[in-house]
Amino acid sequence: METNFYTYSGKHRGILAWILSTDHKRIGLLYLSSMFTFFLAGATLGILMRLELIAPGPTIMTAQTYNAVFTLHGVIMIFLFIIPGIPAALGNFMLPLQIGARDVAFPRLNLLSWWFFITGGLIALTSLFTGGGPPDTGWTFYVPYSIRTGTNVSLALFGVFLLGLSSTLTGLNFVTTIHRMRAPGMTWFRLPLFQWSLYATGWVQLLATPILGITLLLVIIERFFGVGFFDPAKGGDPLLFEHLFWIYSHPAVYIMILPAMGAVSEIIPAFARRTIFGYKAIAYSSLAIALVGYLVWGHHMFTSGMSDASRVVFSLLTFLVAIPSGVKVFNWVASLYRGSIQTDAPMLFTLGFIFLFSIGGLTGLINGALSVNIHIHGTHFIVAHFHYTMFGGTAFAFFAALHYWFPKMFGRMYREGLARVAWFIIFIGFNTLYFPMFVLGWQGMPRRYYDYLPQFQTGNIISTIGSWILVSGLLLMLFNLVRSISKGEKVGDNPWGATTLEWKTSSPPPHNNFAEIPTVTTGPYVFK
Amino acid sequence: MAELAKTSEAVHRDYTGAKIGMWLFLFTEILLFGGLFLVYAVYRTKHQADFHTAAAELSVAIGAANTMILLTSSLTMALAIAAIRRSAKTASIVFQSLTILFAVIFLVNKYFEWGAKIGHGLYPNSPELLAQSHGTILFYGLYYVMTGLHALHVLIGIGLLLTMLILTVRDRITNTDFVKLENSGLYWHLVDIVWIYLFPLLYLIT
């Protein structure tokens, strides 16, 4: 009972005990560490991009380099950080613990998923240094350019294909696990809300990712064999690629945000010390987002050439998908009402999430309106909207969850004061960095351009300064977390007094998670 | 069994769980091919006449033979599972081997079919093909990509069934523990059913 999963001795030793382990907790930490390594690479590219844009004209890099940098920033952040993000790292760690199971349904498949992830990531990074140079297509790989460019697109696509496979298999594993391995008494409506969000995400991963797989394969085949599916000279249609790409890539943003919403739904009851408001509404809205989110991809293509009828339908569906997100926001806020709110770091990040995600979500409606979309399509407004949902939304919730579950994963506490300071710097830096982009975009500054007109300089300078603030906050936060893994103060099994099952076992948990599988008799958020 | 279900060892013997996992995987396979069927639907609608004339070049005889072969292999696959259920190990091994044999014959036919087409200069980006209409270029593109991806699945299926064969010989698949074989069977039926759609869409639309 005294040994936890770190001290447990399995078949292998040293690093092999990690990279060959089928223990979901170790795999979760493998994801976490590899993911943050990629995140730092992506953030470095981001800060270089901002530095280039501090003044009009060439500043620190050539136009071609800039194209490669924004492509890689996108590919790394999307496919290597934010899509695997919360589910693969924290989901892996917490899913069996929260439902009272000893592991996921397919532990070896779980390990295989990580191997696909790390191989795919390394292949994508290899594409930078080999072949015809780093890909310069943007993370969307739009044809016909992605077929014609001489840069190393095929290898990068293959890497992303493997990442997609990894994501699909993780989804498969989680859906099966939640169906089959809940502890006795853990009915569907006693599941913690994080589980509901993982469940909905799992289905999106399963049903959307294969479309990306085949689309990327088709581009690779196109580059090697010139089949002609996307080449107008041979009768192909480049728009078809855009459709196929967004059939996956729009649901993918829900793969990114749903688990974030789930994590937030865990933290709010723990720090307001009362049950969540509207449990079922939050659970069902996760499913509704997954379902409707599957059908809105056309809103990425309002200016690409589509019939008016389809544009109206896609616009309407886009408005509809905002409703379940709104339901969640209202429920979170209502949960705070008359709670005894504690503003520890996880809660601060969560409140930051609600604020920033609301801005991101509401500007999404502006994008979704047909007439306005014509004006802001392809401008920095989109960049700002996207970062408010994905960084202000998903990443803030990720950081919140990381602080929240930190004592669970490591048995030690980070330094609270430092964490609050880091949160403050990140929050200020984030808004300084991205808010000016709304204004710049509205004024007409296009995205993905290496240069801009002189009248946009003020906004760009503010934004670049914001990037420095943001990065210093991020480094402070990571420093605090990394040092606390070994030097943090030891705290008990349940420092937050939270009520879900993962806190009922020791921290860090033993290899088998529970000495005895618990029997569940109440809902997840019952505070006495 | 009831007692076993409470321990962690039971985790690895959850047949229903294994089946759910396999079915979910099959969904993803269907969606993978689904992307191609979507491409097919779009271009077929745009180039009706070209698709009709181009399809006339394919050999219905070979296509039909391959359809029969795959359907029969699905039968032997099902018989192999039925055999292991009643502990008829030898019968199961024979039926599994037959399934693999049919799969190989299917690929040999495919090889000659592709070979003949390539011999006539009909392959993606060939000068011969590029001289033809857009619809014909796209039809042959779809023909190669769809049957190619399908053939790749047949190849993976052969590898999978060979593994199952070895496991059966070594008594790792028995009448109490055959979910691996059953799941492999499900995979094999998927390969079969994809072909059931490819055959009319590519060969019979003339």
Side-chain angles (χ1 to χ4, degrees), chain A residues 102 180 227 229 233-234 237, chain B residues 8 14 28 31 43 125 134 141:
Chain A
R102 299 207 186 276
R180 295 296 301 166
V227 178
F229 290 155
K234 296 173 187 166
D237 187 352
Chain B
S8 63
D14 180 359
T28 69
L31 282 158
Y43 291 142
N125 227 6
H134 281 167

Side-chain angles (χ1 to χ4, degrees), chain A residues 201-225:
Chain A
T201 308
W203 275 107
V204 183
Q205 285 173 304
L206 276 170
L207 298 182
T209 319
I211 308 283
L212 177 77
I214 191 70
T215 310
L216 300 182
L217 281 184
L218 286 180
V219 177
I220 297 177
I221 291 173
E222 201 66 55
R223 283 178 68 87
F224 281 109
F225 301 106

